[in-house]
PDB file of all heavy atoms in Angstrom:
ATOM      1  N   TRP A 280     -26.679-289.015 -87.650  1.00 95.00           N
ATOM      2  CA  TRP A 280     -25.991-289.980 -86.796  1.00 95.00           C
ATOM      3  C   TRP A 280     -26.967-290.727 -85.886  1.00 95.00           C
ATOM      4  O   TRP A 280     -26.816-291.933 -85.642  1.00 95.00           O
ATOM      5  CB  TRP A 280     -24.930-289.271 -85.956  1.00 95.00           C
ATOM      6  CG  TRP A 280     -23.713-288.868 -86.740  1.00 95.00           C
ATOM      7  CD1 TRP A 280     -23.337-287.610 -87.079  1.00 95.00           C
ATOM      8  CD2 TRP A 280     -22.725-289.744 -87.295  1.00 95.00           C
ATOM      9  NE1 TRP A 280     -22.176-287.631 -87.822  1.00 95.00           N
ATOM     10  CE2 TRP A 280     -21.775-288.936 -87.967  1.00 95.00           C
ATOM     11  CE3 TRP A 280     -22.558-291.127 -87.301  1.00 95.00           C
ATOM     12  CZ2 TRP A 280     -20.669-289.460 -88.622  1.00 95.00           C
ATOM     13  CZ3 TRP A 280     -21.438-291.657 -87.956  1.00 95.00           C
ATOM     14  CH2 TRP A 280     -20.521-290.836 -88.604  1.00 95.00           C
ATOM     15  N   LEU A 281     -27.984-290.027 -85.403  1.00 96.00           N
ATOM     16  CA  LEU A 281     -28.967-290.677 -84.527  1.00 96.00           C
ATOM     17  C   LEU A 281     -29.780-291.720 -85.280  1.00 96.00           C
ATOM     18  O   LEU A 281     -30.059-292.807 -84.757  1.00 96.00           O
ATOM     19  CB  LEU A 281     -29.893-289.625 -83.909  1.00 96.00           C
ATOM     20  CG  LEU A 281     -29.269-288.738 -82.827  1.00 96.00           C
ATOM     21  CD1 LEU A 281     -30.222-287.601 -82.468  1.00 96.00           C
ATOM     22  CD2 LEU A 281     -28.939-289.565 -81.581  1.00 96.00           C
ATOM     23  N   VAL A 282     -30.171-291.406 -86.512  1.00 96.00           N
ATOM     24  CA  VAL A 282     -30.929-292.380 -87.305  1.00 96.00           C
ATOM     25  C   VAL A 282     -30.046-293.575 -87.666  1.00 96.00           C
ATOM     26  O   VAL A 282     -30.507-294.723 -87.671  1.00 96.00           O
ATOM     27  CB  VAL A 282     -31.514-291.713 -88.567  1.00 96.00           C
ATOM     28  CG1 VAL A 282     -32.145-292.751 -89.495  1.00 96.00           C
ATOM     29  CG2 VAL A 282     -32.558-290.672 -88.166  1.00 96.00           C
ATOM     30  N   LEU A 283     -28.771-293.326 -87.946  1.00 97.00           N
ATOM     31  CA  LEU A 283     -27.854-294.437 -88.203  1.00 97.00           C
ATOM     32  C   LEU A 283     -27.734-295.328 -86.965  1.00 97.00           C
ATOM     33  O   LEU A 283     -27.757-296.561 -87.057  1.00 97.00           O
ATOM     34  CB  LEU A 283     -26.477-293.900 -88.600  1.00 97.00           C
ATOM     35  CG  LEU A 283     -25.385-294.960 -88.825  1.00 97.00           C
ATOM     36  CD1 LEU A 283     -25.778-295.923 -89.945  1.00 97.00           C
ATOM     37  CD2 LEU A 283     -24.047-294.289 -89.139  1.00 97.00           C
ATOM     38  N   ALA A 284     -27.605-294.705 -85.786  1.00 96.00           N
ATOM     39  CA  ALA A 284     -27.523-295.483 -84.553  1.00 96.00           C
ATOM     40  C   ALA A 284     -28.813-296.253 -84.301  1.00 96.00           C
ATOM     41  O   ALA A 284     -28.786-297.398 -83.822  1.00 96.00           O
ATOM     42  CB  ALA A 284     -27.229-294.542 -83.378  1.00 96.00           C
ATOM     43  N   LEU A 285     -29.946-295.639 -84.622  1.00 96.00           N
ATOM     44  CA  LEU A 285     -31.233-296.329 -84.470  1.00 96.00           C
ATOM     45  C   LEU A 285     -31.297-297.561 -85.366  1.00 96.00           C
ATOM     46  O   LEU A 285     -31.701-298.648 -84.938  1.00 96.00           O
ATOM     47  CB  LEU A 285     -32.363-295.359 -84.817  1.00 96.00           C
ATOM     48  CG  LEU A 285     -33.794-295.840 -84.609  1.00 96.00           C
ATOM     49  CD1 LEU A 285     -34.076-296.091 -83.134  1.00 96.00           C
ATOM     50  CD2 LEU A 285     -34.782-294.805 -85.162  1.00 96.00           C
ATOM     51  N   ALA A 286     -30.861-297.407 -86.621  1.00 96.00           N
ATOM     52  CA  ALA A 286     -30.845-298.538 -87.550  1.00 96.00           C
ATOM     53  C   ALA A 286     -29.885-299.624 -87.069  1.00 96.00           C
ATOM     54  O   ALA A 286     -30.190-300.821 -87.146  1.00 96.00           O
ATOM     55  CB  ALA A 286     -30.438-298.058 -88.944  1.00 96.00           C
ATOM     56  N   ALA A 287     -28.721-299.216 -86.541  1.00 96.00           N
ATOM     57  CA  ALA A 287     -27.754-300.186 -86.028  1.00 96.00           C
ATOM     58  C   ALA A 287     -28.315-300.939 -84.820  1.00 96.00           C
ATOM     59  O   ALA A 287     -28.000-302.109 -84.609  1.00 96.00           O
ATOM     60  CB  ALA A 287     -26.461-299.468 -85.639  1.00 96.00           C
ATOM     61  N   GLY A 288     -29.161-300.267 -84.049  1.00 95.00           N
ATOM     62  CA  GLY A 288     -29.770-300.939 -82.905  1.00 95.00           C
ATOM     63  C   GLY A 288     -30.823-301.948 -83.312  1.00 95.00           C
ATOM     64  O   GLY A 288     -30.990-302.991 -82.661  1.00 95.00           O
ATOM     65  N   TYR A 289     -31.541-301.674 -84.385  1.00 96.00           N
ATOM     66  CA  TYR A 289     -32.570-302.610 -84.843  1.00 96.00           C
ATOM     67  C   TYR A 289     -31.981-303.854 -85.504  1.00 96.00           C
ATOM     68  O   TYR A 289     -32.546-304.948 -85.421  1.00 96.00           O
ATOM     69  CB  TYR A 289     -33.490-301.920 -85.864  1.00 96.00           C
ATOM     70  CG  TYR A 289     -34.461-300.935 -85.273  1.00 96.00           C
ATOM     71  CD1 TYR A 289     -34.892-299.830 -86.009  1.00 96.00           C
ATOM     72  CD2 TYR A 289     -34.962-301.100 -83.985  1.00 96.00           C
ATOM     73  CE1 TYR A 289     -35.786-298.917 -85.472  1.00 96.00           C
ATOM     74  CE2 TYR A 289     -35.857-300.193 -83.447  1.00 96.00           C
ATOM     75  CZ  TYR A 289     -36.270-299.106 -84.206  1.00 96.00           C
ATOM     76  OH  TYR A 289     -37.153-298.215 -83.668  1.00 96.00           O
ATOM     77  N   THR A 290     -30.849-303.709 -86.164  1.00 95.00           N
ATOM     78  CA  THR A 290     -30.306-304.789 -86.982  1.00 95.00           C
ATOM     79  C   THR A 290     -30.006-306.075 -86.215  1.00 95.00           C
ATOM     80  O   THR A 290     -30.341-307.178 -86.684  1.00 95.00           O
ATOM     81  CB  THR A 290     -29.044-304.303 -87.716  1.00 95.00           C
ATOM     82  OG1 THR A 290     -29.377-303.152 -88.502  1.00 95.00           O
ATOM     83  CG2 THR A 290     -28.492-305.386 -88.625  1.00 95.00           C
ATOM     84  N   PRO A 291     -29.404-306.057 -85.012  1.00 95.00           N
ATOM     85  CA  PRO A 291     -29.088-307.303 -84.304  1.00 95.00           C
ATOM     86  C   PRO A 291     -30.316-308.127 -83.896  1.00 95.00           C
ATOM     87  O   PRO A 291     -30.165-309.298 -83.537  1.00 95.00           O
ATOM     88  CB  PRO A 291     -28.323-306.826 -83.059  1.00 95.00           C
ATOM     89  CG  PRO A 291     -27.810-305.483 -83.409  1.00 95.00           C
ATOM     90  CD  PRO A 291     -28.832-304.890 -84.303  1.00 95.00           C
ATOM     91  N   LEU A 292     -31.501-307.540 -83.953  1.00 96.00           N
ATOM     92  CA  LEU A 292     -32.700-308.290 -83.587  1.00 96.00           C
ATOM     93  C   LEU A 292     -32.934-309.478 -84.509  1.00 96.00           C
ATOM     94  O   LEU A 292     -33.620-310.439 -84.131  1.00 96.00           O
ATOM     95  CB  LEU A 292     -33.924-307.368 -83.603  1.00 96.00           C
ATOM     96  CG  LEU A 292     -33.923-306.230 -82.570  1.00 96.00           C
ATOM     97  CD1 LEU A 292     -35.122-305.307 -82.800  1.00 96.00           C
ATOM     98  CD2 LEU A 292     -33.955-306.784 -81.151  1.00 96.00           C
ATOM     99  N   VAL A 293     -32.359-309.426 -85.721  1.00 95.00           N
ATOM    100  CA  VAL A 293     -32.545-310.538 -86.666  1.00 95.00           C
ATOM    101  C   VAL A 293     -31.880-311.813 -86.160  1.00 95.00           C
ATOM    102  O   VAL A 293     -32.173-312.904 -86.660  1.00 95.00           O
ATOM    103  CB  VAL A 293     -32.006-310.175 -88.070  1.00 95.00           C
ATOM    104  CG1 VAL A 293     -32.682-308.919 -88.590  1.00 95.00           C
ATOM    105  CG2 VAL A 293     -30.495-309.997 -88.053  1.00 95.00           C
ATOM    106  N   LEU A 294     -30.996-311.702 -85.165  1.00 95.00           N
ATOM    107  CA  LEU A 294     -30.326-312.893 -84.624  1.00 95.00           C
ATOM    108  C   LEU A 294     -31.269-313.752 -83.792  1.00 95.00           C
ATOM    109  O   LEU A 294     -30.972-314.932 -83.549  1.00 95.00           O
ATOM    110  CB  LEU A 294     -29.121-312.467 -83.777  1.00 95.00           C
ATOM    111  CG  LEU A 294     -28.028-311.668 -84.506  1.00 95.00           C
ATOM    112  CD1 LEU A 294     -26.972-311.206 -83.512  1.00 95.00           C
ATOM    113  CD2 LEU A 294     -27.408-312.501 -85.626  1.00 95.00           C
ATOM    114  N   VAL A 295     -32.379-313.154 -83.319  1.00 93.00           N
ATOM    115  CA  VAL A 295     -33.380-313.826 -82.471  1.00 93.00           C
ATOM    116  C   VAL A 295     -32.752-314.816 -81.480  1.00 93.00           C
ATOM    117  O   VAL A 295     -33.038-316.017 -81.520  1.00 93.00           O
ATOM    118  CB  VAL A 295     -34.474-314.515 -83.318  1.00 93.00           C
ATOM    119  CG1 VAL A 295     -35.372-313.501 -83.962  1.00 93.00           C
ATOM    120  CG2 VAL A 295     -33.871-315.424 -84.381  1.00 93.00           C
ATOM    121  N   PRO A 296     -31.917-314.325 -80.556  1.00 93.00           N
ATOM    122  CA  PRO A 296     -31.319-315.224 -79.555  1.00 93.00           C
ATOM    123  C   PRO A 296     -32.345-315.599 -78.482  1.00 93.00           C
ATOM    124  O   PRO A 296     -33.551-315.377 -78.651  1.00 93.00           O
ATOM    125  CB  PRO A 296     -30.189-314.371 -78.983  1.00 93.00           C
ATOM    126  CG  PRO A 296     -30.684-312.975 -79.112  1.00 93.00           C
ATOM    127  CD  PRO A 296     -31.481-312.933 -80.375  1.00 93.00           C
ATOM    128  N   GLY A 297     -31.873-316.133 -77.353  1.00 93.00           N
ATOM    129  CA  GLY A 297     -32.758-316.489 -76.255  1.00 93.00           C
ATOM    130  C   GLY A 297     -33.463-315.279 -75.678  1.00 93.00           C
ATOM    131  O   GLY A 297     -33.126-314.124 -75.970  1.00 93.00           O
TER     132      GLY A 297
END
Side-chain angles (χ1 to χ4, degrees):
W280 286 109
L281 288 171
V282 172
L283 177 60
L285 185 65
Y289 286 150
T290 303
L292 295 174
V293 303
L294 300 175
V295 289

